[in-house]
Amino acid sequence: MKRTRFTTKNCTALITGATAGLGAEFARQLAPIAARLILVGRREDRLTALASELRASRSDLRIDTIVADLSQSSERERLAAGIIREEIPLNLLVNNAGLGDLGSFDNADWSRLAPVLEVNVVALTHLTHLLLPMLRAQVGQSSAGILNVSSIAGFYPLPEMAVYAASKAYVTSFSEALRMELAPAGITVTALCPGPVPTEFFQVATRDGETIRAMDRSHPAFATSPELVVRDALRGLEKDKPGVIPNRLLALLVRGSRLLPFPVIREAIRLGAGPKKPKVNS
Ligand SMILES: NC(=O)c1ccc[n+]([C@@H]2O[C@H](COP(=O)([O-])OP(=O)(O)OC[C@H]3O[C@@H](n4cnc5c(N)ncnc54)[C@H](OP(=O)(O)O)[C@@H]3O)[C@@H](O)[C@H]2O)c1
């Protein structure tokens, strides 16, 4: 069967985590070309403000805002039931909502770890499962795609971000397998694996009373703007790429590191993680 390449032109896209960072940027970059956007997040005021901003730039764009806490199974079911009931011709699912927790596993509060797993892993999988029939229904009439926002952290086990890194390893692995399963059905699946991006992520991931921020600890050459990350992600999806690492230097390092035996990687991570020097706020 000849596959139709996924195109964002006239797409109907559901974007989770659209209230901030990469999710809001996905909405901004898709707004000029999409037919309809469904923006999802918990902060209603942010969703409303973003929808007004996008409508001001394009009055004929259909925008739905849905307030949902994706860590709750019932909220995910309510969200999907609405899409199915309204027969929204969804052909792009951007599973972007996610969060992290920085600090040792030993000292972590379960109340901070549970949402990392529930949103990054369970919600992404559950929403994909719930909405796949809608995407499938669009193949033939248009094209269909799933963009899962993973992370470069998913390539390595990372001390002080153990649960987050493992959650993103799941996202990358799940995306690769799903891609193989759905290829015959004509549905494109791409995993986006950015390095550090200046969003609210590090603020959310930093524990109360802690001052260390991963963004400050990583090399500036690894930082990539949300605009560039999203641009590369959408291009990668349209080119049917299995994975996208938006920063060239990081992409090179990841590819290079995959040629190394795992004990070498493990040692490099152990040395790199080193003893933490607490940052003092001035
Ligand atoms: N920033 C980075 O350096 C970086 C690097 C690699 C990968 N990523 C990934 O990129 C994705 C987007 O993160 P970001 O950097 O844009 O961070 P961000 O600015 O903190 O945005 C995270 C988004 O996720 C949503 N979210 C969190 N918990 C939610 C919940 N329970 N229910 C519904 N929505 C929820 C937030 O919306 P509400 O709070 O309004 O619900 C927000 O819109 C995440 O998957 C993250 O892991 C980020």
Side-chain angles (χ1 to χ4, degrees):
M1 184 178 100
K2 189 166 178 331
R3 291 187 60 185
T4 314
R5 277 266 176 103
F6 177 78
T7 173
T8 51
K9 198 158 182 276
N10 291 325
C11 70
T12 293
L14 185 148
I15 305 166
T16 67
T19 58
L22 294 178
E25 185 58 29
F26 273 113
R28 290 192 178 101
Q29 291 196 24
L30 285 171
I33 40 176
R36 186 167 180 174
L37 295 180
I38 302 118
L39 310 176
V40 181
R42 287 170 303 180
R43 286 169 288 179
E44 189 170 14
D45 54 336
R46 296 267 194 117
L47 291 177
T48 309
L50 180 60
S52 310
E53 176 197 319
L54 301 179
R55 279 192 198 105
S57 64
R58 217 192 117 194
S59 56
D60 63 329
L61 176 67
R62 275 195 81 170
I63 307 177
D64 308 79
T65 57
I66 303 178
V67 177
D69 179 351
L70 295 178
S71 68
Q72 305 298 314
S73 180
S74 58
E75 298 264 296
R76 302 190 289 261
E77 276 160 9
R78 177 179 59 82
L79 166 64
I83 307 279
I84 294 163
R85 192 180 51 246
E86 306 270 319
E87 295 181 356
I88 295 177
L90 186 73
N91 72 328
L92 172 59
L93 172 61
V94 183
N95 276 314
N96 162 76
L99 71 161
D101 174 63
L102 298 174
S104 76
F105 179 77
D106 199 13
N107 295 330
D109 277 349
W110 180 247
S111 64
R112 281 186 60 85
L113 295 182
V116 175
L117 294 169
E118 200 63 48
V119 177
N120 297 9
V121 175
V122 183
L124 178 139
T125 315
H126 193 188
L127 266 191
T128 304
H129 193 254
L130 288 166
L131 295 173
L132 194 49
M134 301 303 285
L135 295 171
R136 210 181 257 284
Q138 293 313 308
V139 179
Q141 295 154 68
S142 62
S143 52
I146 300 172
L147 183 61
N148 287 334
V149 181
S150 185
S151 167
I152 200 160
F155 294 117
Y156 311 100
L158 295 180
E160 306 285 323
M161 310 179 79
V163 172
Y164 177 73
S167 76
K168 293 302 185 178
Y170 172 91
V171 175
T172 306
S173 168
F174 172 66
S175 305
E176 285 280 358
L178 199 62
R179 175 184 172 80
M180 289 184 244
E181 272 194 35
L182 296 181
I187 302 175
T188 296
V189 182
T190 296
L192 169 64
C193 304
V197 190
T199 63
E200 294 171 16
F201 176 86
F202 293 101
Q203 199 182 313
V204 173
T206 301
R207 295 176 186 170
D208 285 348
E210 295 268 338
T211 51
I212 296 165
R213 302 216 189 104
M215 198 76 194
D216 299 341
R217 295 166 78 202
S218 63
H219 195 279
F222 294 158
T224 316
S225 69
E227 292 81 4
L228 201 140
V229 170
V230 168
R231 194 198 65 199
D232 279 9
L234 295 175
R235 275 191 193 156
L237 183 71
E238 291 196 319
K239 287 184 177 163
D240 194 23
K241 288 197 173 169
V244 174
I245 302 174
N247 177 302
R248 278 200 192 150
L249 178 61
L250 273 178
L252 201 69
L253 287 173
V254 169
R255 283 191 199 111
S257 74
R258 289 185 147 186
L259 302 172
L260 298 170
F262 187 70
V264 176
I265 306 268
R266 183 192 287 131
E267 193 55 15
I269 293 170
R270 199 183 61 77
L271 290 172
K276 281 203 310 182
K277 295 182 208 82
K279 257 191 101 189
V280 180
N281 277 338
S282 52

